[in-house]
Amino acid sequence: MQLPFVGKVRQPATWLIGLVTVGILGTATASYLTIRDRTTQPDLAAITVPVKSQQLTIRITASGTVQPIQTVNLSPKNAGVLQELYVGQGDRVTQGQVIARMKSDDVQAELTQSRARVAQAQARLAALRAGNRPQQVSQGQ
């Protein structure tokens, strides 16, 4: 019987020994540097600052649709043309605040006519209170 490796054993290649040696030395160096960095305490005073309270302004830019919390539809008692708008969309309003003014040309004309009718009625009333004059009575006869 013959032994399979007798006489066939070769010397390991020198490049293989060199590669293993470099790997062992690299691992040892990396381990030493890691352990050394862990044991040294950092200077906390150099890397920290004291806390200060100050105003912070945040601006957010986004795109999308804003959903209101509450919506209110306004409709005047009489239809007409809007003359002035005192508030903008999204403004907060309080109870009793004037929001808009309608064109009031027609209303002004009606108001002028009504005042003229009131003045005419007051003149007639004054004439009736004054009573009939003798001249008017003689003309009526």
Side-chain angles (χ1 to χ4, degrees), residues 80-93:
V81 178
L82 187 66
Q83 183 174 355
E84 291 181 78
L85 184 63
Y86 297 116
V87 295
Q89 185 173 352
D91 290 350
R92 289 191 180 268
V93 294

Side-chain angles (χ1 to χ4, degrees), residues 16-114:
L16 184 61
I17 293 173
L19 186 64
V20 170
T21 305
V22 168
I24 291 172
L25 286 175
T27 305
T29 304
S31 299
Y32 171 73
L33 292 175
T34 304
I35 291 171
R36 185 186 70 177
D37 286 342
R38 281 189 195 165
T39 57
T40 58
Q41 295 295 324
D43 184 17
L44 293 179
I47 59 174
T48 58
V49 293
V51 174
K52 294 178 187 174
S53 178
Q54 62 185 14
Q55 292 290 333
L56 179 63
T57 302
I58 298 175
R59 292 192 178 133
I60 299 173
T61 304
S63 61
T65 304
V66 176
Q67 296 294 327
I69 296 172
Q70 180 181 9
T71 58
V72 177
N73 290 328
L74 299 176
S75 57
K77 292 180 183 177
N78 300 324
V81 178
L82 187 66
Q83 183 174 355
E84 291 181 78
L85 184 63
Y86 297 116
V87 295
Q89 185 173 352
D91 290 350
R92 289 191 180 268
V93 294
T94 58
Q95 184 176 358
Q97 179 181 351
V98 176
I99 297 173
R101 187 169 310 281
M102 303 294 286
K103 256 190 174 175
S104 60
D105 296 339
D106 298 338
V107 175
Q108 289 295 334
E110 287 179 29
L111 180 63
T112 305
Q113 285 179 348
S114 297

Side-chain angles (χ1 to χ4, degrees), residues 114-130:
S114 297
R115 285 182 179 162
R117 281 189 231 120
V118 167
Q120 188 178 24
Q122 285 176 341
R124 272 190 255 131
L125 178 63
L128 289 175
R129 283 188 179 163

